[in-house]
Amino acid sequence: MSRFLTATVVGLLLAGTLALGAMAADDWPFWQRWFARVPAITGFGGNANAIPDLRSDFGGEAAPLTRRQPEPRLVAPLRQADAWMADRNSDAFLVWHDGALVFEHYYRGDAATQRPAGAMAKSLVAIMVGRAIREGAIAGLDAPVADALPEWRNDERNRIRWRDLLAMHAGLAWYRQETSPFSDFQRIIIGSDYQPRALALPAVAPPGEVFDYSAWTYDIAGLALARAGNAPYEDLVDRWLTPPLGLGPMRIYVDRDGGNVHANCCLYGRADDWVRLGALIADEWVAPRLLPDGFVAEMRKPGPDRANYGLGIWLGSPYEARRPIASTRNPYPTPVKSVIEQSEPFAADDVMIFEGVGQTKTWIIPSRRLVIVRFGSAPQDWDDAMVPNLLIRALQ
């Protein structure tokens, strides 16, 4: 081997070693995760939204739900709904009515399977804020979030209330969606400490005025909850929700071992846990024991810039044939452009929805004491009103 070739190889090895050292000093877990995502984010296959394999295990041993046979008037509609769900990439379909689970079908896995809830995790955050208020850790929905976040106390973000965070009217900026490993967007998603970037997001609109469907808003809510409750977010779930509701084992993405959870998403748990959470919202006699008086009514109030979104929950009215996720009057860039297809208005005006990913969701209809849970991927011919209206009309 010539001296020139030898020098070149040694130089490359030295450069590679220095590069690896720089990556390790920078944030080695981030680089491992980013390289695992490279094929997808550069268009060569894979999953750009793949979640790193760091999760915090919490929850408990799932308490048995009361079960009974459905009322005769529900039998045929449930059979029709089951067939419809089976033809549309469903993994699980459960129906709770009047205090009991009356139907469950697991097309893939079984009752104990931990399933990805996606953005339904945001609804859990909203419920946790209610529990924190009930427990005295937060003064109320109109209290400033800066009470828990000193980073916000000396600038215009000190006007942001818990209500603004949960309604996605906080007025905070987004990190522009980019694939570069040096971008703030990639670092906040898969970095090993996302907290500094999340809490550095500046205000770009007055709080309470502009709707923006934002993942960071709910990550920030999770961080603030942890500080207000003086414990990790997942520990607060175990303290305030797991025992009274009988929630089963759960996992959620954390940025590093012992770090912060991404409370906005990436929660895995049993399908029937969402029956329990939906029933908490649907059952007026249960909610006051765990949530402050009137909290569910506050959750159902639409925001000033989004008639279909309350506090951590989507509202079934007013009707939109194509319900957009992002605001159409957003003054800053947002990567969320999804719409939910719906052929007709809901047959009840009090429908609320925990909205997940791929049409994974929980419909809650308090007037019928009805909760419907569906897990699965998104089919081409989805109709958000189909199954709820079948069951609502059967109960009229």
Side-chain angles (χ1 to χ4, degrees):
M1 183 181 295
S2 68
R3 290 182 179 179
F4 175 76
L5 183 57
T6 300
T8 300
V9 171
V10 170
L12 289 173
L13 290 173
L14 179 59
T17 301
L18 291 173
L20 288 173
M23 290 178 184
D26 173 39
D27 185 348
W28 181 242
F30 165 80
W31 286 102
Q32 289 178 301
R33 299 168 194 170
W34 188 83
F35 278 115
R37 290 158 52 92
V38 163
I41 63 179
T42 54
F44 290 96
N47 180 8
N49 297 314
I51 304 167
D53 197 29
L54 281 175
R55 294 184 175 87
S56 180
D57 295 311
F58 60 111
E61 183 176 350
L65 281 169
T66 300
R67 287 170 166 80
R68 68 163 177 262
Q69 292 299 310
E71 297 179 14
R73 58 181 171 164
L74 277 175
V75 172
L78 283 170
R79 189 179 301 118
Q80 184 179 350
D82 183 29
W84 193 87
M85 288 291 192
D87 288 339
R88 285 165 179 80
N89 305 333
S90 297
D91 296 335
F93 172 43
L94 298 86
V95 178
W96 176 95
H97 175 236
D98 199 19
L101 192 66
V102 298
F103 185 87
E104 58 186 324
H105 189 169
Y106 301 102
Y107 310 93
R108 296 174 182 84
D110 56 27
T113 300
Q114 291 191 355
R115 305 174 190 275
M120 288 204 299
K122 295 177 176 63
S123 300
L124 176 60
V125 173
I127 291 170
M128 284 296 296
V129 170
R131 290 293 293 123
I133 295 170
R134 179 78 178 192
E135 295 295 327
I138 295 174
L141 283 170
D142 292 314
V145 183
D147 286 350
L149 298 178
E151 295 90 339
W152 284 13
R153 289 176 188 166
N154 297 318
D155 59 48
E156 54 197 331
R157 296 173 300 175
N158 61 19
R159 299 169 51 203
I160 298 173
R161 304 166 298 172
W162 285 95
R163 181 188 304 278
D164 301 320
L165 276 186
L166 298 184
M168 301 214 195
H169 282 67
L172 295 173
W174 267 79
Y175 286 124
R176 187 180 298 274
Q177 189 171 16
E178 297 179 74
T179 59
S180 166
F182 303 103
S183 67
D184 286 319
F185 183 82
Q186 291 295 322
R187 294 293 177 132
I188 200 172
I189 291 175
I190 57 173
S192 64
D193 185 6
Y194 80 86
Q195 178 174 261
R197 282 179 171 83
L199 298 183
L201 284 166
V204 295
E209 292 189 6
V210 180
F211 176 80
D212 181 33
Y213 188 87
S214 168
W216 321 135
T217 296
Y218 272 76
D219 275 345
I220 291 168
L223 293 171
L225 270 168
R227 296 206 192 166
N230 198 32
Y233 173 80
E234 61 273 33
D235 289 357
L236 295 176
V237 174
D238 276 349
R239 182 188 306 169
W240 291 339
L241 274 181
T242 297
L245 292 185
L247 299 177
M250 290 178 280
R251 295 175 296 152
I252 194 168
Y253 167 36
V254 295
D255 54 11
R256 66 188 183 280
D257 287 327
N260 294 300
V261 303
H262 281 271
N264 90 87
C265 74
C266 318
L267 174 67
Y268 284 67
R270 295 166 55 107
D272 58 11
D273 280 342
W274 293 97
V275 171
R276 294 175 174 89
L277 292 165
L280 172 64
I281 302 302
D283 248 346
E284 292 299 327
W285 71 271
V286 173
R289 295 188 303 168
L290 296 180
L291 301 173
D293 291 342
F295 187 80
V296 174
E298 293 294 326
M299 291 181 74
R300 293 177 58 182
K301 290 182 180 179
D305 190 39
R306 192 70 177 91
N308 285 98
Y309 199 80
L311 302 183
I313 199 164
W314 288 92
L315 309 176
S317 298
Y319 168 63
E320 291 183 276
R322 290 172 55 83
R323 171 164 56 89
I325 298 297
S327 171
T328 56
R329 297 196 296 106
N330 201 330
Y332 42 96
T334 174
V336 180
K337 298 181 175 66
S338 301
V339 296
I340 307 297
E341 306 280 353
Q342 185 173 330
S343 65
E344 63 173 342
F346 287 113
D349 61 9
D350 62 342
V351 175
M352 297 177 281
I353 307 165
F354 300 159
E355 192 75 64
V357 63
Q359 307 304 346
T360 286
K361 61 184 67 196
T362 301
W363 295 272
I364 304 159
I365 307 97
S367 61
R368 306 300 194 275
R369 300 198 70 212
L370 183 65
V371 176
I372 307 164
V373 175
R374 187 264 183 183
F375 277 81
S377 55
Q380 292 296 319
D381 58 344
W382 183 260
D383 178 357
D384 216 46
M386 175 65 185
V387 168
N389 280 356
L390 268 175
L391 303 182
I392 290 169
R393 287 171 177 145
L395 293 170
Q396 287 177 342

